[in-house]
Amino acid sequence: MHRVRVRVVEDALDANNTIAQANRADFDREHVTVVNLMSAPGAGKTTLLEKVLGGDGLPGVRAGVLEGDVQGSLDADRLAHLHIPVTQLNTDAGFGGECHLDANMVRSALPALPLADLDLLIVENVGNLVCPAEFRIGEDARIMVSSVAEGEDKPLKYPLMFRACELVIVNKLDLLPHVDFDLDRFNHHLDAVHPGVARMFVSARTGEGVEEVRDWLAALPARTGAPA
Amino acid sequence: MHRVRVRVVEDALDANNTIAQANRADFDREHVTVVNLMSAPGAGKTTLLEKVLGGDGLPGVRAGVLEGDVQGSLDADRLAHLHIPVTQLNTDAGFGGECHLDANMVRSALPALPLADLDLLIVENVGNLVCPAEFRIGEDARIMVSSVAEGEDKPLKYPLMFRACELVIVNKLDLLPHVDFDLDRFNHHLDAVHPGVARMFVSARTGEGVEEVRDWLAALPARTGAPA
């Protein structure tokens, strides 16, 4: 007799992970590297994308963006001038507006994504430092953006988010002279919750440090072992 | 035969509202006016409380603070020097750390609150522009803080939050010369989602406009009809 033992799904996150793996398989089949971009509201994710993907864009990388928002398409509209594929995903059909993207929401957007024409898909999550960190969506890497205007204590207050990502981008460096934010103390707090995590200090507004982000993203497919 | 018809509870928010009303009854019994203070992470809620409740505090009003955070007690520690009752409530016992306070969490803190010694309780919610707006906690009024560093588009992107509150405080006004934030456009967006809502423009860092917030809070018990 053929016997197979299947373990019962344990919780909601297991269901999410199952769907995330299905997304992952679809992305792999199309050779697409996926980045989950997270931050608090107003940390500058969209401005950063404008700068990183604008101009000549990422050399040799066909990039696209999936914009997650509670409602509206303001960010997608801002990226329209880049002439890259931008898809809007709204969460307001859920309970009062979901505060994060999960694997199933991203899966619902897959038919609208031109995966065959992309090397890199950047998913801009809903602005929130808590729940987005809890839901994998099938991504290769997670980046979080933290603005110096938010204060140097954020790694200690939202440790799961800072722990969940492969790269921390500290944005709005141009505001440093005008806010109470000590870079050394921030680094100390960040290392306390995620020792040695990669970090970059940028100003999406002035363009300072954006080149380094561009290089990191351009090299990501090779690093994550996505089939070329 | 005595017959009573009880309507079946419809959803999770009904349960929350039931508990919020129980909280409300307890606050009323102790003649405490309650404010739910909400914002994105790093908008400056705690600095604002330091300024509003520091110095001579609110004239004739015995104030206390309930600090909601995913984990840690950084904000409560910052308020310790004010010599007012500060109670810490952490949400990290929940699923990965709850991203908001709900009525039941606040209820669990009631035994730790010196309600008989308070006229005004300010509940500093978890930094988040989505879910906190969905859960009443038994408050008299809801205030949200929006920093100019977050951008003028926030009312359009998080309309439920801006619609849910009685007062919008625009903070970090000292950064206005250094960020792309047009006050007129912000007002226009705010009126689009919550026409005519009360608003104040302050800098908790420099103290500009804080007096107006103090006056609003000091007058709140009379306005909300809380028994004196």
Side-chain angles (χ1 to χ4, degrees):
Chain A
M1 191 174 76
H2 176 72
R3 292 177 59 178
V4 178
R5 181 183 291 189
V6 177
R7 195 167 57 88
V8 169
V9 169
E10 278 180 341
D11 58 28
L13 281 183
D14 274 356
N16 186 75
N17 286 338
T18 300
I19 301 170
Q21 282 162 21
N23 292 349
R24 179 72 264 148
D26 287 354
F27 294 140
D28 281 345
R29 218 174 350 260
E30 301 285 359
H31 311 308
V32 181
T33 300
V34 179
V35 168
N36 188 353
L37 182 64
M38 306 179 286
S39 82
K45 294 187 295 301
T46 311
T47 305
L48 186 66
L49 288 181
E50 284 185 276
K51 283 290 164 75
V52 166
L53 303 177
D56 292 333
L58 299 176
V61 176
R62 299 169 301 166
V65 175
L66 178 61
E67 275 292 342
D69 283 300
V70 177
Q71 67 177 77
S73 62
L74 285 173
D75 292 346
D77 298 345
R78 285 175 60 192
L79 298 179
H81 69 95
L82 296 179
H83 304 298
I84 61 169
V86 177
T87 306
Q88 180 71 51
L89 178 57
N90 286 132
T91 70
D92 60 354
F95 169 66
E98 292 289 344
C99 64
H100 59 275
L101 296 180
D102 65 20
N104 202 33
M105 293 182 221
V106 170
R107 189 150 195 83
S108 73
L110 291 190
L113 293 171
L115 292 181
D117 301 326
L118 295 179
D119 304 308
L120 175 70
L121 175 68
I122 301 179
V123 183
E124 186 178 337
N125 216 309
V126 178
N128 182 349
L129 285 188
V130 187
C131 301
E134 296 167 7
F135 293 87
R136 305 293 309 202
I137 56 174
E139 70 275 59
D140 293 275
R142 310 214 269 184
I143 300 177
M144 77 145 309
V145 182
S146 190
S147 144
V148 299
E150 294 164 22
E152 66 205 17
D153 58 350
K154 290 299 158 293
L156 301 180
K157 296 190 69 182
Y158 302 92
L160 183 62
M161 175 59 78
F162 285 86
R163 212 172 273 144
C165 56
E166 279 77 42
L167 173 64
V168 174
I169 297 177
V170 179
N171 191 24
K172 307 197 185 183
L173 211 57
D174 54 296
L175 292 182
L176 207 49
H178 312 294
V179 294
D180 301 315
F181 184 98
D182 186 290
L183 275 182
D184 288 340
R185 270 201 295 268
F186 176 85
N187 277 320
H188 180 77
H189 295 333
L190 180 56
D191 282 323
V193 303
H194 194 165
V197 62
R199 66 205 70 182
M200 293 176 189
F201 300 90
V202 316
S203 167
R205 195 177 183 229
T206 68
E208 182 183 355
V210 166
E211 200 56 39
E212 199 185 356
V213 177
R214 202 178 266 144
D215 291 344
W216 195 93
L217 284 170
L220 189 60
R223 271 209 313 287
T224 55
Chain B
M1 191 175 78
H2 176 72
R3 291 178 58 179
V4 179
R5 180 183 292 187
V6 177
R7 193 168 60 88
V8 169
V9 169
E10 278 180 342
D11 58 30
L13 280 184
D14 275 357
N16 186 75
N17 285 338
T18 300
I19 301 170
Q21 282 163 22
N23 292 349
R24 178 74 264 147
D26 286 353
F27 294 140
D28 281 345
R29 218 174 351 259
E30 301 284 0
H31 311 308
V32 181
T33 300
V34 179
V35 169
N36 188 353
L37 183 63
M38 305 179 286
S39 82
K45 296 187 295 300
T46 311
T47 306
L48 186 67
L49 287 181
E50 283 186 276
K51 283 291 165 74
V52 166
L53 303 178
D56 292 333
L58 299 176
V61 176
R62 300 168 301 165
V65 175
L66 177 60
E67 276 292 343
D69 283 300
V70 177
Q71 68 177 73
S73 63
L74 284 173
D75 291 347
D77 298 345
R78 287 174 59 190
L79 298 179
H81 68 97
L82 296 179
H83 304 297
I84 61 169
V86 177
T87 306
Q88 180 71 51
L89 178 57
N90 286 132
T91 70
D92 61 353
F95 169 66
E98 292 289 344
C99 64
H100 59 275
L101 295 180
D102 66 21
N104 203 33
M105 294 182 220
V106 170
R107 190 151 194 81
S108 73
L110 291 191
L113 293 170
L115 292 180
D117 302 325
L118 295 179
D119 304 307
L120 177 69
L121 175 68
I122 301 180
V123 182
E124 186 179 337
N125 216 309
V126 178
N128 182 349
L129 286 188
V130 186
C131 302
E134 297 167 7
F135 292 86
R136 307 291 308 200
I137 57 173
E139 69 275 60
D140 293 276
R142 310 213 269 185
I143 300 177
M144 78 147 306
V145 182
S146 190
S147 144
V148 300
E150 294 165 23
E152 67 205 18
D153 60 349
K154 290 300 158 293
L156 301 180
K157 296 190 69 181
Y158 302 91
L160 182 63
M161 174 60 76
F162 285 86
R163 213 172 271 142
C165 56
E166 280 76 40
L167 174 63
V168 174
I169 297 177
V170 179
N171 191 25
K172 306 197 185 183
L173 211 58
D174 55 296
L175 292 182
L176 208 50
H178 312 294
V179 295
D180 302 314
F181 184 98
D182 185 290
L183 275 182
D184 288 339
R185 270 201 294 269
F186 176 86
N187 277 320
H188 181 77
H189 295 332
L190 180 56
D191 282 324
V193 302
H194 195 164
V197 62
R199 66 205 70 182
M200 294 176 188
F201 301 89
V202 316
S203 167
R205 195 177 183 227
T206 68
E208 182 183 355
V210 166
E211 200 57 38
E212 199 184 355
V213 177
R214 203 180 265 143
D215 291 346
W216 195 93
L217 284 170
L220 188 61
R223 272 209 312 287
T224 55

